[in-house]
Amino acid sequence: MYDIKPFPIPVIADLGPGTHSEDETLDYISMPQGMETFHTPVLPEPEEIAQHAGAVQVLHEVLGALRQVAEGTAPKSETARVMLADITAPDLTLINQVLGEGEVSAQVLAEDGTPVLQIQESVFAGVWRVLESAGDGSVRDWIEVGGIPEVLRQTAKVDASQAVPAAIPLPPQVMNAPSVLVELEDQRRTWQPGQVAHVVNLSLLPLTPMDIGYMDHRLGTGRVLILSRGYGNCRITNCCVPHTWRVVYYNSQDTVILNSVEVTDMPEVACAAPEDLVDSVDRLHEVLQWVNQA
């Protein structure tokens, strides 16, 4: 079984400007100390790899799919899958060793909040490991190649097609949330595929905690949860209205440093860029050149 890192960011209240007390002493926020970068996988000796023809074949299939997606020739979809149903445990171990774990992970939650689908990007940007739990206890396991696994987009569309959270009377201390919600609704109505994301930076607006809570209720929270680790962390969740995502950035101390809402198909921070896919083709090709020496 492929172990995926748990989400380390706790769910905490997003506080708007004006909620912090002033202090005469300057207290600088610590800069994040680490960033995920590419490291060439530590591979077994060539004679060991020679015993895992199934794993080598899968990696060549992944490279072929990666080339198609990077060149824009992948059939029917922007992503391609390589299924792992018939792979032996030793071969799967080697595949996991080669792919490693990158900086983006994701979950799709069931209605009761339990994960039904877990996703981990590999060290090769745009190459994703996907585990899907079925109701009978079985697990489907595959590698998906592309900017982001398609199931995340599809789940967000399903969530947005459900009933919109019911309106509630405007609570006290809610001042500016209604105008922000009108702006987001206008952007949703005119949004077209391929359009640049419309970002509303809540951290720069005079919003009270009640404003934030009211907006969270009106937008709703969907079942897609994405975590991008780079300088600090970024937590992304879909809303229960079309093309709308909550994107919250944290520093190395898990303190919110940027709280935003994006109207887009998928926030850019979650996706592997086209140039990253091209770079992954070169990196995986180099690894397989070494593997082929076995």
Side-chain angles (χ1 to χ4, degrees):
M1 183 63 65
Y2 186 61
D3 294 328
I4 293 180
K5 294 178 181 177
F7 278 55
I9 296 179
V11 180
I12 62 175
D14 298 324
L15 302 181
T19 59
H20 304 285
S21 60
E22 297 294 335
D23 193 315
E24 294 181 359
T25 304
L26 291 177
D27 185 14
Y28 293 102
I29 296 176
S30 301
M31 290 296 291
Q33 300 300 311
M35 184 181 78
E36 298 286 343
T37 56
F38 175 79
H39 298 284
T40 303
V42 179
L43 299 176
E45 294 301 318
E47 55 272 15
E48 246 185 283
I49 295 179
Q51 304 172 15
H52 301 286
V56 174
Q57 180 181 344
V58 165
L59 294 173
H60 278 286
E61 290 179 17
V62 171
L63 178 59
L66 192 54
R67 281 202 177 102
Q68 284 189 318
V69 172
E71 296 168 1
T73 59
K76 298 182 181 180
S77 173
E78 295 180 356
T79 64
R81 289 185 179 184
V82 177
M83 304 305 295
L84 301 176
D86 300 324
I87 299 298
T88 65
D91 283 342
L92 191 60
T93 298
L94 178 59
I95 291 170
N96 293 340
Q97 187 173 355
V98 172
L99 295 184
E101 291 190 357
E103 66 178 31
V104 181
S105 55
Q107 294 179 342
V108 172
L109 306 178
E111 296 297 334
D112 62 0
T114 58
V116 294
L117 195 143
Q118 298 186 71
I119 297 169
Q120 175 66 56
E121 188 178 32
S122 73
V123 295
F124 304 97
V127 178
W128 309 80
R129 285 297 307 279
V130 183
L131 294 175
E132 182 181 25
S133 301
D136 59 1
S138 63
V139 175
R140 294 178 67 211
D141 188 0
W142 70 87
I143 298 171
E144 190 158 343
V145 177
I148 196 80
E150 190 62 24
V151 67
L152 298 180
R153 284 194 175 95
Q154 294 303 320
T155 302
K157 288 180 181 178
V158 171
D159 288 347
S161 68
Q162 307 299 317
V164 177
I168 59 174
L170 203 63
Q173 301 180 12
V174 172
M175 300 182 298
N176 295 314
S179 60
V180 175
L181 290 170
V182 169
E183 176 185 350
L184 292 170
E185 185 177 359
D186 288 343
Q187 290 295 325
R188 290 197 299 272
R189 287 174 177 171
T190 60
W191 183 87
Q192 296 293 328
Q195 187 174 318
V196 175
H198 179 79
V199 180
V200 178
N201 187 342
L202 304 181
S203 300
L204 297 180
L205 299 177
L207 299 173
T208 67
M210 289 298 293
D211 278 311
I212 297 294
Y214 182 72
M215 289 181 58
D216 285 342
H217 172 78
R218 297 294 294 143
L219 295 175
T221 301
R223 294 176 295 131
V224 176
L225 177 58
I226 304 171
L227 176 64
S228 177
R229 304 173 183 88
Y231 282 115
N233 295 295
C234 176
R235 187 177 188 271
I236 304 162
T237 53
N238 68 310
C239 300
C240 296
V241 293
H243 321 304
T244 307
W245 300 79
R246 291 297 308 274
V247 182
V248 183
Y249 291 84
Y250 300 78
N251 66 6
S252 57
Q253 299 171 331
D254 285 343
T255 301
V256 175
I257 57 175
L258 177 61
N259 182 10
S260 64
V261 183
E262 294 191 15
V263 178
T264 184
D265 176 49
M266 177 67 66
E268 187 176 346
V269 67
C271 302
E275 56 269 25
D276 293 332
L277 293 168
V278 173
D279 192 42
S280 291
V281 170
D282 296 336
R283 288 171 168 172
L284 185 55
H285 177 69
E286 290 177 0
V287 171
L288 284 174
Q289 278 187 317
W290 188 88
V291 169
N292 288 337
Q293 296 175 8

